[in-house]
Amino acid sequence: MKDNDIPQNPFGLVADFDGDIRELFSVEHKGKLPVLTLRNMILFPGVVAPVAVARESSKALIQWAEAHGPETFIAVTAQVEPAIEVPTLADLYPTAILARIMKVLEMPNGQLNVILQSFGRILLDPVPFRLNPFIRVSAEHLIEELPDEKDREWSVLYDTFRDITFKYLKANDQISQEAMFAVKNIRNPFFFVNFVATNLPISVEEKAMLLEESNFINRTMELLRLIRRELNYHELRHKIQERTRSELDRQQREFYLQQEMRNIQSELGNGENTDVAELRRKSQELPLPKNVKSIIERELMKMERQNPASPDYNVIWNYLETIVSLPWGKLTPDDMDIKRARKILDRDHFGMEKVKERILEHLAIMKFSKNQKAPILCLYGPPGVGKTSLGHSIAESLGRKYVRISLGGMHDESEIRGHRRTYIGAMCGRIMKSIIKSGSNNPVFILDEIDKVGGQSQNGDPQSAMLELLDPEQNIAFHDNYLDFDYDLSNVFFIATANNISNIPSALRDRMELIEVEGYLTEEKKEIAKRHLLPDALKVLSLPKPIKLSAAANEFLIERFTRESGVRQLQKLIQKLIRKVVLESAENEEDETGLTLKPADIEHYLGAPRFSRDAYQGNQFAGVVTGLAWTAVGGEILFVETSISRAKVPRLTTTGNLGDVMKESAALALEYVKAHADLLGIDHRLFEQWSIHIHVPEGATPKDGPSAGITIATSLASALTQRKVRDHIAMTGEITLRGKVLPVGGIKEKILAAKRAGIKDIVLSTENQKDIKEIPERYVKGLTFHFVNTVAEVWEYALLPELVANPLDLTIIETPQDKTE
């Protein structure tokens, strides 16, 4: 025990006062008083309390008081800072207690236990009389403002204070029953209040404030507030202890029952459950969220209570094995080398500049931003252009894992979100299965054929389920019905592929970044066949010498045997060609594997060509003009033919399986020609005596679009004037009723088709000039472009002054009406 500490049982020493306590409080002393300084204790008037004395100066004071007799008074106060060993008067609280020493007990360790009888309060003089070996000062008596015992306010306050005090004593486990009984026997209310104030375990500073209060009612009110605070503390502490005790009892009970179950299972021959131990070990090694940890622990407890032979045991085991198989916290580090990424993309795929540029942009952003969310791309375009295979190259360029699922024909929402565990044979969806398969939280994830996902049905709506998956704001907490907790998929690089984006719901389409993968041009197909398709076909063979395709044979194979946007059919034809060559070599037992195939060899092995490309047919006929068209498999040239014939009821006829837009273009062109007949030198009566027939060959092929506008207008002008059209010319452009030439699309494909057909001059709208600048120089070499704004400019360049051979006689037959006029 430290010097002047309160004893362990603060309410252990109780002494009541039978006389008039007012006399006790009013005792005064004249002269100097020695000051006994306490560290952690303050006495209140009338209280008898034990004090432990260990400081040498305090022992000297006790010896001095004993030498001067039992009637000697001393002053007792506390020091402000308990750590000070030699306090001065400035280190003490000025309000003290007048006291006498009743008894001194010397302990074996040299410490003195002194029992003090306190009297009234005193105020120490700030000027000390003597400092060594102990402080002596003058003191002024302080009056206690005691209430009348019959005062009703005091009576109610005291009863309340007494009740709260006994509640506190019951709540405090450190108070013995004997001490409580003794306290209950205190009859004097003033003594009771001061006794509680002396022994209540509150701070010395709070006790000093109470002692300074001269009004006894105010002191009691403040002490009541403090004891209520202590009572609340002990009640709260008791609740916490009870809660902890009940939790420990529950855990001990569960542990006991689990031990009993293990013993029973051991007796039955089941032994220790290694599945549970293994699953618990795996879960402890993973950085799992708190909610997932609690789920696993709950399921493991169920599993321990199950017989391994029961069906429920396997259901729980499958569920937990799925959870621990997820790649918690596993991220593949991204390779930030942009040059390497570009090299890989160029190596595996020819063309596709827009897609490659977008991937490299994302890689560059990731290099300077660690919080960049993975993009969600949708590559759309015709079949066979390499949308799916591009995913492999993207994964390799980023250094990520690669997974792919095909969504074509999917009609069940549970294939995306998984089945609820209430179903027999339930399992997680294909999304989470693929994440487990990849072993990484940031793979490149290909969602193939997203435009072929089924819509609303009795099995749910898979398209709506994709909304959460492909929304960067939602897939941070993707919810699989089987797992039944949220999983973060925000680091996954999703790439969807589609052929027709019009089949994708607008809400889903809005969540993806759409990138069009256009069909390959013949020039690009030639490079792909040379760099990829032929080497891949030969890779599986062990030929002494490679088989090669000449440039002419390569183009012949593409132009005459395929009609597609991609290269899938071309790949099959090359594989078939190699098989034919190897078979013939094996049958003839000749080494022909080192040959270079020419167009004749292609025809020898694959048979007659399946398709033909239109070639330029000259300008010998009036009304025949070469136009340019775009198709899904590339550009084509088409011929617009116009013939005129005398008729009693003139009319416009269109044939060639033309669509509504193209028919409207024909009517528009005819009206423009009629309106500007004078510009062409046409007699307006010609339209009243001659029928006009417009035909576009290959009638089995549907044709539509506005881009043949200037071609039809020029064909009509040539037929109605019998003038020649300039040699080796082709044109494309939409026209308006005012004769303005508007821009059209598919320029790149159309230009290459014209070049293949031997066209030298191409007429385009002035606004298409920007499209020409984006085409590589090698594709436009040898072509001359003529940009026009009006149909009149087209006629001025395209129509020659000379007439065709054997022109029609366009003489106007005068009618009686003409003669009358």
Side-chain angles (χ1 to χ4, degrees), residues 378 450-456 461-467 470 498 500-512 514:
C378 178
I450 195 171
D451 57 326
K452 298 173 180 63
V453 178
Q456 180 71 41
D461 189 355
Q463 291 180 339
S464 297
M466 299 296 293
L467 294 177
L470 298 181
N500 187 1
I501 59 174
S502 63
N503 294 335
I504 305 175
S506 58
L508 183 57
R509 195 165 59 237
D510 183 60
R511 283 163 166 77
M512 300 183 290
L514 302 177

Side-chain angles (χ1 to χ4, degrees), residues 518 521 524 745-753 771 775-776 779:
E518 299 173 343
L521 306 173
E524 291 173 333
I747 295 299
K748 182 179 179 181
E749 290 81 359
K750 292 177 179 179
I751 287 174
L752 291 174
D771 300 308
I775 302 174
Y779 294 153

Side-chain angles (χ1 to χ4, degrees), residues 332-346:
T332 306
D334 290 319
D335 191 334
M336 299 298 181
D337 190 344
I338 296 178
K339 291 183 178 179
R340 173 183 170 275
R342 185 183 290 277
K343 184 178 180 181
I344 291 172
L345 293 173
D346 290 339

Side-chain angles (χ1 to χ4, degrees), residues 313-595:
Y313 182 90
N314 289 325
V315 170
I316 298 174
W317 184 87
N318 287 331
Y319 177 64
L320 294 178
E321 186 65 26
T322 301
I323 294 178
V324 298
S325 299
L326 289 167
W328 297 99
K330 294 181 181 178
L331 294 173
T332 306
D334 290 319
D335 191 334
M336 299 298 181
D337 190 344
I338 296 178
K339 291 183 178 179
R340 173 183 170 275
R342 185 183 290 277
K343 184 178 180 181
I344 291 172
L345 293 173
D346 290 339
R347 178 198 68 192
D348 295 343
H349 292 82
F350 186 81
M352 295 189 177
E353 299 302 328
K354 290 182 181 179
V355 185
K356 294 177 183 177
E357 199 67 25
R358 181 63 185 88
I359 301 304
L360 295 175
E361 287 172 3
H362 172 63
L363 194 59
I365 292 296
M366 288 173 57
K367 191 172 183 179
F368 297 99
S369 174
K370 300 299 180 184
N371 298 324
Q372 177 70 15
K373 292 184 179 180
I376 298 176
L377 307 182
C378 178
L379 310 180
Y380 70 95
V385 295
K387 300 184 296 296
T388 304
S389 62
L390 186 63
H392 280 287
S393 301
I394 293 174
E396 183 182 353
S397 64
L398 294 175
R400 295 191 180 190
K401 299 293 182 66
Y402 170 84
V403 288
R404 170 189 167 274
I405 63 171
S406 178
L407 302 177
M410 183 181 293
H411 295 281
D412 193 344
E413 181 182 341
S414 60
E415 291 196 50
I416 302 293
R417 292 188 180 275
H419 302 80
R420 299 191 184 279
R421 293 175 60 203
T422 53
Y423 294 98
I424 297 175
M427 63 183 69
C428 61
R430 295 178 64 184
I431 302 299
M432 300 311 298
K433 279 184 182 178
S434 299
I435 294 295
I436 294 173
K437 179 182 176 182
S438 71
S440 169
N441 266 336
N442 62 338
V444 173
F445 202 126
I446 304 298
L447 301 169
D448 212 5
E449 310 292 351
I450 195 171
D451 57 326
K452 298 173 180 63
V453 178
Q456 180 71 41
S457 68
Q458 61 182 0
N459 296 320
D461 189 355
Q463 291 180 339
S464 297
M466 299 296 293
L467 294 177
E468 179 186 7
L469 180 68
L470 298 181
D471 191 337
E473 301 300 326
Q474 296 184 44
N475 63 16
I476 193 172
F478 178 74
H479 190 87
D480 186 278
N481 292 330
Y482 178 74
L483 297 176
D484 202 23
F485 57 78
D486 294 337
Y487 193 83
D488 186 2
L489 295 178
S490 60
N491 294 311
V492 179
F493 193 157
F494 287 106
I495 301 177
T497 68
N499 297 129
N500 187 1
I501 59 174
S502 63
N503 294 335
I504 305 175
S506 58
L508 183 57
R509 195 165 59 237
D510 183 60
R511 283 163 166 77
M512 300 183 290
E513 182 178 342
L514 302 177
I515 299 178
E516 183 179 6
V517 183
E518 299 173 343
Y520 293 115
L521 306 173
T522 300
E523 284 70 13
E524 291 173 333
K525 291 180 181 179
K526 287 159 63 175
E527 291 294 330
I528 292 171
K530 179 181 177 182
R531 298 184 186 185
H532 302 285
L533 302 184
L534 184 60
D536 289 346
L538 295 172
K539 190 183 299 181
V540 296
L541 303 174
S542 299
L543 301 178
K545 295 180 182 179
I547 299 173
K548 297 181 181 179
L549 279 173
S550 66
N554 194 359
E555 184 172 353
F556 181 73
L557 181 63
I558 295 168
E559 292 283 342
R560 306 299 298 276
F561 286 85
T562 65
R563 185 64 62 90
E564 59 176 342
S565 299
V567 292
R568 192 166 288 152
Q569 294 300 322
L570 179 61
Q571 181 183 27
K572 294 177 181 178
L573 285 173
I574 289 177
Q575 292 172 350
K576 180 179 180 180
L577 182 64
I578 297 300
R579 292 196 302 269
K580 294 284 187 181
V581 172
V582 173
L583 174 62
E584 185 175 86
S585 174
E587 288 178 342
N588 298 334
E589 297 183 356
E590 296 177 358
D591 184 12
E592 295 183 358
T593 57
L595 56 82

Side-chain angles (χ1 to χ4, degrees), residues 228-255:
R228 282 184 185 276
R229 185 192 69 187
E230 295 299 311
L231 175 61
N232 291 337
Y233 165 76
H234 282 283
E235 288 177 345
L236 180 60
R237 181 183 176 193
H238 180 72
K239 287 181 181 179
I240 294 174
Q241 289 176 343
E242 285 297 320
R243 193 181 307 160
T244 306
R245 187 181 298 112
S246 62
E247 182 67 22
L248 290 173
D249 291 343
R250 185 183 65 81
Q251 292 177 357
Q252 290 172 355
R253 178 174 174 274
E254 289 180 356
F255 177 77

Side-chain angles (χ1 to χ4, degrees), residues 116-174:
L116 299 176
Q117 169 67 61
S118 61
F119 293 89
R121 297 180 305 130
I122 57 176
L123 181 65
L124 301 180
D125 193 319
V127 180
F129 174 71
R130 184 177 178 184
L131 297 177
N132 290 316
F134 47 82
I135 300 173
R136 295 183 68 186
V137 297
S138 298
E140 176 187 351
H141 176 70
L142 297 176
I143 298 174
E144 289 280 297
E145 300 177 13
L146 300 176
D148 192 310
E149 294 184 5
K150 296 181 180 180
D151 188 326
R152 185 171 181 80
E153 180 186 357
W154 162 248
S155 178
V156 173
L157 175 61
Y158 175 69
D159 290 343
T160 304
F161 178 80
R162 189 177 179 88
D163 291 342
I164 295 298
T165 300
F166 289 137
K167 286 183 181 179
Y168 166 75
L169 294 176
K170 287 181 181 179
N172 193 338
D173 298 335
Q174 297 180 355

Side-chain angles (χ1 to χ4, degrees), residues 55 66 70 78 192 292 317 433 740 749:
R55 199 155 33 190
E66 283 186 313
F192 184 87
V292 178
W317 184 87
K433 279 184 182 178
K740 185 175 177 60
E749 290 81 359

